[in-house]
Amino acid sequence: VLIKLRPDEAQKMLDRLIDYLRATLQASRATEHALAEEFERLSDYLALMQLRMGERLRVALDLPGELAGIAVPPLLLQPLVENAIKHGLEPQVAGGELCVTARRIAGRLVLEVLDSGAGLGNTGAPAGPGTGFGLAQVRERLAQRYGEAAGFELAPRCGGGSVARIEVPA
């Protein structure tokens, strides 16, 4: 649609898509990378989604500098961000806010993906239809890398929406 209506934006979106695909292909070959790289991949993906959703998607990424070098499995947060958009924000006419944060709390790295979207259904799973593949992948990758030391939770967010929270040793 953008190609016909706004060719300049379509070219930007295509350029971003190529950069994103190249970076994710490289990341998929690694067993870990710096948290800063994880946030860069999210930034690339979210730039694409913002071109698609426009003002309906408001984004904040918060990575303190002292946490940037911590090693994490590549593309760990990606499925959580995709779920927040697909199940939480896209179904709402007004869209909403997506925030990805990293914190160190009591010697643990805490990563959160928060959205102001549709929230979770009665089962505690995303409200819209899905396969559960992304959440299963996150759990599996955390178990492989951190074993019992990892924690993952998907919960309703106070005030609406949802929060996906990962805790691993820092």
Side-chain angles (χ1 to χ4, degrees), residues 30-117:
T31 58
E32 61 183 31
H33 65 183
L35 190 54
E37 290 181 47
E38 184 75 4
F39 270 67
E40 286 173 25
R41 296 301 68 77
L42 291 177
S43 180
D44 292 339
Y45 173 75
L46 289 167
L48 285 169
M49 294 301 100
Q50 283 181 304
L51 282 170
R52 196 174 107 220
M53 292 179 66
E55 294 179 8
R56 295 181 56 230
L57 177 59
R58 295 172 302 284
V59 172
L61 299 176
D62 183 13
L63 174 62
E66 66 271 12
L67 303 179
I70 293 177
V72 296
L75 306 172
L76 181 64
L77 297 172
Q78 182 73 26
L80 303 177
V81 169
E82 287 181 26
N83 278 352
I85 291 173
K86 178 180 179 181
H87 300 292
L89 300 176
E90 279 186 337
Q92 297 194 136
V93 172
E97 297 177 358
L98 177 83
C99 182
V100 182
T101 65
R103 298 278 178 266
R104 188 187 317 253
I105 300 173
R108 294 183 58 81
L109 175 64
V110 178
L111 305 170
E112 290 185 327
V113 177
L114 305 101
D115 71 76
S116 64

Side-chain angles (χ1 to χ4, degrees), residues 2-20:
L2 279 179
I3 292 171
K4 288 183 179 182
L5 299 176
R6 299 186 308 259
D8 290 344
E9 283 187 48
Q11 185 62 50
K12 284 182 197 175
M13 188 172 191
L14 183 60
D15 292 343
R16 279 286 210 179
L17 180 60
I18 290 167
D19 291 343
Y20 172 74

